[in-house]
Amino acid sequence: MYVLERYFHIQSENSDHSSAESDGESEAEQVSVYHKLLATFKTVPDANNEEDDENESEEGDESDEEETGSEGSQEGEDGDHTAGGEDENDVQDQEEAKDTAKQMLGQEQPDGADTSSDPKHGASEEFTDVKHESEFSLETNFMDEGSGDYNADERESSSSVMVSEDPFKQHMNKELEEKEIENISARSKSTIQLKWPTLGQLVFSSSLQQPRTFKPDKEADLKQLHLHRTLESTWPKVNSQFLPTLTKQNKHPFTLLQKELFCIMNRYKDLFYPERTALGNGEEVRHAYCLHAVNHVLKANAQVLSNNAKRRDQKPTVDNDDFRDQGLTRPKVLIVVPFRESALRVVQIFISLLESGSKKQIDVSNKKRFKGEFGSDPDEKPPNLKRPEDYEAVFAGNIDDHFRIGVAILQKSMRLYAPFYSSDIIIASPLGLRTIIGAEGEKKRDFDFLSSIEILIIDQADVYLMQNWEHILHLMNHLNLLSLESHGVDFSRVRMQNLNNWSKYYRQTLLFSALQDPQINSIFNKNCFNYRGQVAVRNIPLIGSISRVVVQLPHVFRRLEAESSVSVIDARFQFFIDKVLPEYRDAIMSHTLIYIPSYFDYVRLRNYFKKEELNFTHICEYTKKSGISRARQFFLKGEKQFLIFTERFHFYKRYLIKGIRNLIFYELPTYPHFYSEVCNMLMATASGEEATWTCTVLYSKYDAQKLAAVVGVDRAAQMLQSEKNVHLFVTGENE
C-alpha cells in the first residue's frame, strides 16, 4: 500500500512532466492516475501513410542525381524565380514532426503483415502481441534450467563476492539517499583530468564524491568484465574483424580503442566520445556499445526470470520486498541512430552476439520483414556519382530517417517489431521518436515507454545537427518521467528509484559524435545526471583543417565582438552588413560565395539582399533541382554576383560549385573539413585568376572550438587573446 501511495504522491507533484530546463515546454496532462493505474494503455496514434517527399538535386550539366533521405529534403518547397526553391518570406521552423504522418509502433498482425501504415489497424491492438505475447513475456516465463542464465544465477547465488563485483548489480542495486539526489540536482561537480593511452585526455566529473583516478584494464579478461556467459563465447568471434590476428582474439578480444571505451561503459559512467568517424573507428565503436547494451539486457532479464521462479516457489501469503527488479515499463535501452542503415547494422550485431558458432542459431522473429524494410537495393544508387569518402560512408545503404523499432530478447529468441511496451531495446531516429512523443496539446501521443530507460545511446550525434537538433532536445525532455499509465506493471516488482522518480539519476548516457559542438556539449553537461559520474574525451586539435587547403589563398579572419552567445547572432549580422559586405559590393568582387551554417541566418541574409536589390542567387537544402541548376549556371557565368549557400545543402549534396573567386564564411563550419573542402572548390575556377582569389572568415570568442578545429589550437589561442581583430594566413605552394 505504501508503494502505491508513494507513486500517487509523486504523480501529483509531477503533473508537469517537462524538465525545468526545457525551452518553455510544458507537458502537463489531464489524466487521472487513480482511475487508470491498473489499466492497459490503449490510446495510440493513427496509422497514416507517410509520403517520402524527397528532394532531388542535379550536378549542373551532369546527369548524376541522388536522394538524401534527410529531414531537410522532406519539408515543403515553393518556387522561386532565382533559386527555385524555398519560401521567400517565412523562416521555416523545421518542425518535421508536425508535418509528418503518424505511424504505428511497429505492431505486426498474426500473419506477419506490416500494419505500421494501416489506418484501419485498431488502436486497442497497439500494445498487444497475441502471437508472441506468452513467448516473450517476462512476467510469465521462467529461466530455462539448461541455459547459461540458470547456471550463472546458481553460481552467483553461492558466491556473494561475484555478485558484489558485478558492475550491473553494483549500479542497479545502489540505493541513493535524498541528500545525494539534492547534490546531483544542484549540479555541483568535482572534476579531475585523466590521460589514457588511446582515448587521450579525459575529463571525469562527479557530483557525489571527489572523483578518483581510474585506469583502463591492462588485459581485457572477459570473465573479469562480468560479461553474460553467452557473450563470453560470441564476442571474440564477432569482433575478430577488427583484431590484427586470429591468435590474439581469445587473449585480447578488444581493440585498444574498444578496451578503453568499454572500460568506461562497463563501469556505468556517462561517456562522451567526440572522435567517432564513419570512415575510421565508427564500426569499432558500434560493436562496443552493442556489446554493452546486450550484456545489460541479458543480465536484467535473467534477474527477472530468476525471481519469477523464486516467487513461484514462495508461499502466497509472504510479502517479500527483495524482488524489485524492474522499471515502470519494460524498455531498458534506447539507441538513437540517424538512418535505417545504422539500425540494420545494430540489429545484425545483436544477432551475431546472441548466436553461438557450434550451436543452433537463435530464433529471430520477423527477420525477413526487417531486412526488406531496413535494407537497401545496391542497384538503386547511380554508379557515376563522385563524392568524398566520408560522404559515401555516412550515406551508405538505406538513409531514410523516419523509423522506430522495438526489440525483445528472451533467452534464445529475439523478437523484431515488438510493441514498445514488450520491448527491451528501442532503436529509433530522432524524427521517428518525435512523431510518437508528439507535442503538448496533441491528443494522440505517448512517451511512457521512455520512463524506465536505463541506458541511452546517441550515436552519430553530429548528423542530428544537420537534421533537426530540436528533436534531440525534445527527446531529452521526455526521458525518465513517471509514466501516466501503469501498463500492467506489478508495483511489487518495481525498483524504488523508479517509484521515487529518480530513474534519471541511474540512467547511463553514451554519446558519440564526430566533433565537439556547443549544442552537443550542452546535452552532455545539462541532461546527464548519472550518479556514477561523467567522462568526456577532450583532446585538443593541434593541426587545423586549414592545413588541407591545397590552393594558394589568403585567409583573412575577422573577429567580431558580442556580449553573449545569444547576442552574437545579431552582432554577426550587423558586422557583416556594416564591415564586410560594403567591400564586396563593387562589380570587380564578383563570383562571391557566402557560406552560412545556420538556415535562419541564411533566410535573414537572403531577405536583406532582396531588400537592398543586390544581384544574387541562393541555394539551400530546400531548393528544387531546377533551382539548383539555374543558380549554379547564373553564378558560373557571372550573371549573379553573389551565391548564398547553406551548410546543410553541402552536407547532403557535396556539389562542386564552379566559378568561385571570393569566399566569405559568414560563420565557421560545423564540420572542420568542410572549410578545406569549400576552399578547394576554387581549383575548379579557370587558371590565371589565382592572384585575385580571397577568403574572409567571421568569428567571435564564442567560436573557440570551431576556430581551433580550423586553424589549430595554438593559432586559435593567439587569435582570441590578441588585440588585433584581423589575422591573415596564406595556404598553398608559397605558404
Side-chain angles (χ1 to χ4, degrees):
M1 180 62 69
Y2 169 76
V3 172
L4 293 180
E5 290 177 351
R6 175 65 173 163
Y7 182 80
F8 289 147
H9 176 67
I10 296 176
Q11 278 280 14
S12 63
E13 288 183 345
N14 293 275
S15 59
D16 183 352
H17 272 200
S18 289
S19 169
E21 279 115 33
S22 66
D23 299 329
E25 276 194 315
S26 177
E27 303 295 348
E29 302 288 346
Q30 302 299 324
V31 178
S32 172
V33 179
Y34 298 95
H35 293 96
K36 298 184 179 181
L37 184 61
L38 300 179
T40 301
F41 187 77
K42 296 182 180 180
T43 303
V44 297
D46 289 332
N48 298 325
N49 291 326
E50 178 192 5
E51 295 185 2
D52 249 345
D53 183 20
E54 294 189 332
N55 198 10
E56 292 185 352
S57 296
E58 62 183 2
E59 183 86 340
D61 296 331
E62 300 174 11
S63 61
D64 50 299
E65 301 176 356
E66 80 268 21
E67 297 180 351
T68 65
S70 69
E71 291 187 35
S73 64
Q74 294 177 3
E75 299 194 29
E77 304 169 343
D78 60 25
D80 175 38
H81 70 281
T82 304
E86 61 283 356
D87 192 336
E88 293 295 332
N89 302 308
D90 299 328
V91 177
Q92 298 188 31
D93 62 5
Q94 302 181 34
E95 292 289 343
E96 292 89 345
K98 296 181 181 179
D99 301 324
T100 308
K102 299 288 174 57
Q103 290 185 334
M104 302 290 279
L105 287 181
Q107 174 62 36
E108 179 186 321
Q109 291 178 335
D111 61 357
D114 183 5
T115 62
S116 61
S117 59
D118 181 7
K120 297 181 180 179
H121 189 54
S124 62
E125 299 178 12
E126 176 69 41
F127 301 108
T128 59
D129 186 12
V130 177
K131 181 179 178 181
H132 297 87
E133 184 174 8
S134 60
E135 179 183 352
F136 285 90
S137 172
L138 282 179
E139 291 77 12
T140 59
N141 273 278
F142 302 94
M143 191 175 295
D144 183 359
E145 295 188 6
S147 69
D149 290 338
Y150 182 87
N151 296 331
D153 184 70
E154 290 297 318
R155 291 195 306 271
E156 289 187 359
S157 298
S158 60
S159 175
S160 59
V161 176
M162 182 175 293
V163 174
S164 63
E165 292 180 352
D166 186 350
F168 167 79
K169 296 198 173 184
Q170 283 183 343
H171 178 64
M172 300 306 298
N173 293 343
K174 168 75 173 180
E175 294 186 5
L176 295 175
E177 299 178 357
E178 289 196 16
K179 185 176 181 180
E180 293 175 315
I181 297 297
E182 292 175 0
N183 291 338
I184 300 174
S185 302
R187 300 181 185 278
S188 176
K189 296 182 179 181
S190 301
T191 301
I192 62 172
Q193 293 190 352
L194 308 173
K195 185 68 177 293
W196 283 18
T198 303
L199 289 179
Q201 196 72 30
L202 307 181
V203 177
F204 175 33
S205 58
S206 176
S207 299
L208 292 188
Q209 57 186 0
Q210 182 66 32
R212 297 180 180 179
T213 300
F214 68 100
K215 298 180 180 180
D217 301 322
K218 293 183 179 180
E219 294 186 5
D221 187 342
L222 295 181
K223 292 186 177 181
Q224 292 181 354
L225 293 176
H226 296 271
L227 287 182
H228 188 273
R229 187 174 183 181
T230 300
L231 302 178
E232 287 184 8
S233 60
T234 59
W235 172 250
K237 180 181 178 182
V238 172
N239 202 49
S240 61
Q241 58 184 302
F242 305 111
L243 303 176
T245 60
L246 295 174
T247 56
K248 294 183 179 181
Q249 287 180 22
N250 293 328
K251 293 184 179 180
H252 305 282
F254 294 87
T255 65
L256 296 177
L257 173 63
Q258 288 174 331
K259 183 178 71 171
E260 296 188 6
L261 287 175
F262 192 78
C263 177
I264 299 171
M265 295 180 198
N266 202 36
R267 292 171 186 255
Y268 281 89
K269 301 181 187 299
D270 292 339
L271 170 64
F272 175 33
Y273 180 64
E275 299 175 14
R276 181 232 192 267
T277 59
L279 268 179
N281 56 26
E283 291 307 308
E284 284 184 65
V285 172
R286 197 193 313 274
H287 276 68
Y289 73 64
C290 284
L291 172 66
H292 181 57
V294 174
N295 187 48
H296 180 86
V297 168
L298 289 177
K299 288 186 175 182
N301 287 354
Q303 184 180 38
V304 173
L305 297 180
S306 175
N307 286 340
N308 286 348
K310 294 176 182 178
R311 281 168 58 94
R312 177 188 59 187
D313 300 335
Q314 192 180 59
K315 295 181 179 180
T317 56
V318 177
D319 185 13
N320 197 326
D321 207 37
D322 295 336
F323 299 130
R324 297 195 176 275
D325 50 17
Q326 303 174 28
L328 291 168
T329 54
R330 179 169 170 177
K332 308 169 186 65
V333 179
L334 174 63
I335 302 179
V336 183
V337 290
F339 305 118
R340 284 182 182 260
E341 172 68 18
S342 307
L344 175 68
R345 296 185 185 185
V346 167
V347 171
Q348 288 174 337
I349 296 172
F350 286 170
I351 295 174
S352 299
L353 287 172
L354 295 172
E355 288 179 348
S356 178
S358 59
K359 297 181 180 179
K360 181 182 177 181
Q361 294 183 344
I362 64 168
D363 179 24
V364 181
S365 303
N366 303 317
K367 189 175 182 180
K368 183 178 180 181
R369 172 189 168 192
F370 175 74
K371 288 184 176 180
E373 295 183 3
F374 284 76
S376 61
D377 185 352
D379 298 331
E380 289 179 356
K381 187 174 182 180
N384 60 341
L385 290 179
K386 295 181 181 179
R387 297 290 182 268
E389 290 183 348
D390 68 291
Y391 177 92
E392 299 290 351
V394 170
F395 294 103
N398 189 334
I399 55 173
D400 174 54
D401 65 352
H402 188 187
F403 62 90
R404 49 183 178 264
I405 183 172
V407 180
I409 300 174
L410 197 61
Q411 300 189 110
K412 298 179 180 179
S413 301
M414 176 187 287
R415 164 99 166 111
L416 301 176
Y417 295 97
F420 275 12
Y421 291 98
S422 299
S423 301
D424 297 299
I425 302 173
I426 295 172
I427 308 170
S429 65
L431 179 60
L433 289 169
R434 179 59 187 261
T435 53
I436 192 63
I437 293 174
E440 183 183 5
E442 294 182 7
K443 293 182 179 180
K444 297 177 180 178
R445 58 185 305 220
D446 177 36
F447 47 88
D448 280 0
F449 60 88
L450 300 173
S451 64
S452 300
I453 295 297
E454 296 163 359
I455 297 178
L456 169 66
I457 301 172
I458 301 179
D459 196 10
Q460 296 176 265
D462 53 288
V463 177
Y464 310 135
L465 296 172
M466 299 293 110
Q467 291 180 343
N468 192 333
W469 188 251
E470 291 298 322
H471 294 341
I472 295 294
L473 299 178
H474 196 67
L475 167 64
M476 300 305 294
N477 289 332
H478 291 82
L479 277 171
N480 299 115
L481 305 177
L482 281 178
S483 57
L484 298 173
E485 304 285 351
S486 70
H487 304 285
V489 68
D490 180 355
F491 281 90
S492 67
R493 300 287 294 272
V494 178
R495 295 188 181 95
M496 290 307 301
Q497 59 256 36
N498 296 93
L499 295 173
N500 290 332
N501 198 22
W502 291 354
S503 58
K504 69 178 180 180
Y505 303 109
Y506 288 79
R507 186 192 75 230
Q508 180 186 35
T509 302
L510 306 177
L511 188 58
F512 303 100
S513 171
L515 51 86
Q516 296 199 42
D517 183 89
Q519 296 180 87
I520 301 176
N521 292 338
S522 177
I523 286 289
F524 190 73
N525 295 331
K526 296 181 179 180
N527 295 87
C528 297
F529 303 92
N530 187 356
Y531 78 89
R532 288 262 176 172
Q534 290 74 40
V535 178
V537 177
R538 302 292 188 193
N539 292 317
I540 300 174
L542 300 177
I543 301 176
S545 62
I546 195 172
S547 63
R548 295 192 290 272
V549 177
V550 298
V551 297
Q552 185 175 349
L553 181 67
H555 304 257
V556 179
F557 288 79
R558 305 184 64 169
R559 187 172 69 191
L560 59 97
E561 302 298 333
E563 296 180 356
S564 68
S565 59
V566 176
S567 64
V568 73
I569 298 174
D570 292 329
R572 179 180 289 109
F573 176 75
Q574 206 62 42
F575 183 86
F576 177 81
I577 62 175
D578 292 342
K579 304 291 185 182
V580 179
L581 187 58
E583 301 174 4
Y584 289 84
R585 281 178 176 265
D586 197 297
I588 196 173
M589 301 298 288
S590 63
H591 296 272
T592 298
L593 183 142
I594 305 175
Y595 181 99
I596 306 181
S598 167
Y599 177 78
F600 300 102
D601 287 336
Y602 159 81
V603 172
R604 187 178 190 180
L605 208 59
R606 182 196 65 193
N607 292 341
Y608 176 82
F609 272 47
K610 287 183 178 181
K611 180 181 177 182
E612 295 295 315
E613 297 182 348
L614 297 178
N615 184 24
F616 80 104
T617 185
H618 48 94
I619 300 176
C620 78
E621 54 270 26
Y622 309 120
T623 307
K624 295 178 180 179
K625 62 179 182 180
S626 58
I628 295 171
S629 179
R630 187 162 56 248
R632 295 175 67 195
Q633 288 299 314
F634 287 159
F635 184 70
L636 175 61
K637 294 177 180 179
E639 296 178 17
K640 300 293 181 181
Q641 182 177 352
F642 296 96
L643 171 59
I644 305 178
F645 183 85
T646 65
E647 181 174 72
R648 286 182 69 192
F649 175 81
H650 183 66
F651 174 79
Y652 284 113
K653 298 298 184 183
R654 301 289 183 93
Y655 285 176
L656 174 64
I657 305 299
K658 298 179 181 179
I660 305 174
R661 297 178 187 172
N662 305 290
L663 264 177
I664 300 177
F665 285 91
Y666 186 81
E667 184 181 355
L668 286 161
T670 303
Y671 287 89
H673 65 280
F674 282 4
Y675 184 86
S676 56
E677 278 187 13
V678 175
C679 287
N680 289 332
M681 286 183 185
L682 274 71
M683 294 178 64
T685 304
S687 60
E689 300 176 354
E690 292 86 348
T692 62
W693 290 347
T694 67
C695 178
T696 300
V697 185
L698 277 60
Y699 75 97
S700 72
K701 63 181 180 181
Y702 300 103
D703 298 320
Q705 285 184 335
K706 293 180 178 180
L707 186 64
V710 170
V711 301
V713 65
D714 293 334
R715 278 180 174 175
Q718 294 174 5
M719 293 166 65
L720 292 171
Q721 296 172 4
S722 173
E723 296 181 358
K724 296 193 305 179
N725 291 330
V726 180
H727 300 267
L728 173 65
F729 307 104
V730 180
T731 58
E733 297 178 358
N734 300 324
E735 184 178 0

